[in-house]
Amino acid sequence: GQQLNQSPQSMFIQEGEDVSMNCTSSSIFNTWLWYKQDPGEGPVLLIALYKAGELTSNGRLTAQFGITRKDSFLNISASIPSDVGIYFCAGLNYGGSQGNLIFGKGTKLSVKP
Amino acid sequence: NAGVTQTPKFQVLKTGQSMTLQCAQDMNHEYMSWYRQDPGMGLRLIHYSVGAGITDQGEVPNGYNVSRSTTEDFPLRLLSAAPSQTSVYFCASIKRGALSTDTQYFGPGTRLTVL
């Protein structure tokens, strides 16, 4: 089946640092999504991207839809302790049902105060 | 709105037992899905539904059944539980149209252990 390769698997950073993570795929997607999951909770959608090249921000978070439609990245600026969690990318491909999202394996972010 | 609710929150089963994980949403969303989350594996789609009466298989459907008799409910049935089904199960609902932060929600999860 289709796979999303998400990297890095984990990150340990100091509070105030910027963070960057990305997802790549061998398949084209028409929508890229970025989620955050806190311990014991379900994922929460942070940003949705719909067009190749699109750059979208949500507070300190910025995500881009790659020009090739096969990749996306998420940046977090000036990290704070509450940014801790697992970040997932997800894709929805052409012709796919909106119920059928494909997820990366996640990036676990740890922030040292 | 209560959003997406899942019950139970925790469950322990013995191998061979059956049970139903409940999922309900009160937002009139057309799409509902079930995912399982295993350590290091991300979320994998089990089954999904694009509307009442319509269901389809995802990536890992074996051992699970679903039905969608109403827009609100999308139960997941384990007919004969196996240890390999030990996982955290998430239900999601999506409103038809462009995905956005206010049209797509996950439930809080059901943590299932099969002994």
Side-chain angles (χ1 to χ4, degrees), chain A residues 29-33 45 47-56 64-65 69 92 94 98, chain B residues 97-103:
Chain A
F29 288 95
N30 69 346
T31 302
W32 281 93
L33 306 164
L45 183 60
I47 293 179
L49 303 158
Y50 310 106
K51 292 191 299 189
E54 179 181 357
L55 187 71
T56 297
Q64 185 158 27
F65 192 142
R69 298 179 176 151
L92 183 63
Y94 286 107
Q98 282 187 309
Chain B
L99 290 167
S100 68
T101 56
D102 62 350
T103 64

Side-chain angles (χ1 to χ4, degrees), chain A residues 25-97:
Chain A
S25 173
S26 58
S27 304
I28 291 174
F29 288 95
N30 69 346
T31 302
W32 281 93
L33 306 164
W34 285 93
Y35 291 83
K36 178 180 184 242
Q37 185 178 27
D38 292 324
E41 305 283 335
V44 174
L45 183 60
L46 300 172
I47 293 179
L49 303 158
Y50 310 106
K51 292 191 299 189
E54 179 181 357
L55 187 71
T56 297
S57 294
N58 179 4
R60 292 178 297 105
L61 277 62
T62 302
Q64 185 158 27
F65 192 142
I67 289 293
T68 65
R69 298 179 176 151
K70 294 182 179 180
D71 62 333
S72 176
F73 72 76
L74 174 70
N75 286 344
I76 305 173
S77 63
S79 58
I80 60 179
S82 62
D83 290 334
V84 165
I86 302 178
Y87 291 81
F88 291 98
C89 62
L92 183 63
N93 55 6
Y94 286 107
S97 163

Side-chain angles (χ1 to χ4, degrees), chain B:
Chain B
N1 290 344
V4 179
T5 59
Q6 289 184 239
T7 56
K9 197 166 178 63
F10 300 95
Q11 182 70 50
V12 179
L13 294 177
K14 294 181 179 178
T15 296
Q17 285 185 314
S18 63
M19 80 158 295
T20 299
L21 309 186
Q22 301 291 345
C23 175
Q25 52 93 8
D26 61 356
M27 299 168 284
N28 206 32
H29 285 176
E30 295 85 355
Y31 299 95
M32 296 185 75
S33 310
W34 276 103
Y35 293 84
R36 60 177 287 173
Q37 185 176 32
D38 302 299
M41 295 293 292
L43 288 91
R44 292 182 293 170
L45 183 67
I46 304 172
H47 286 283
Y48 65 101
S49 168
V50 302
I54 306 169
T55 64
D56 205 347
Q57 295 182 347
E59 179 186 356
V60 288
N62 292 343
Y64 307 95
N65 280 352
V66 292
S67 60
R68 184 100 179 268
S69 55
T70 66
T71 299
E72 294 78 20
D73 300 297
F74 191 43
L76 179 72
R77 297 184 189 85
L78 284 71
L79 299 178
S80 179
S84 61
Q85 293 178 305
T86 293
S87 188
V88 182
Y89 292 85
F90 288 100
C91 178
S93 77
I94 305 173
K95 181 179 175 60
R96 181 180 291 137
L99 290 167
S100 68
T101 56
D102 62 350
T103 64
Q104 201 269 283
Y105 298 95
F106 276 85
T110 293
R111 284 141 188 85
L112 176 68
T113 300
V114 183
L115 303 174

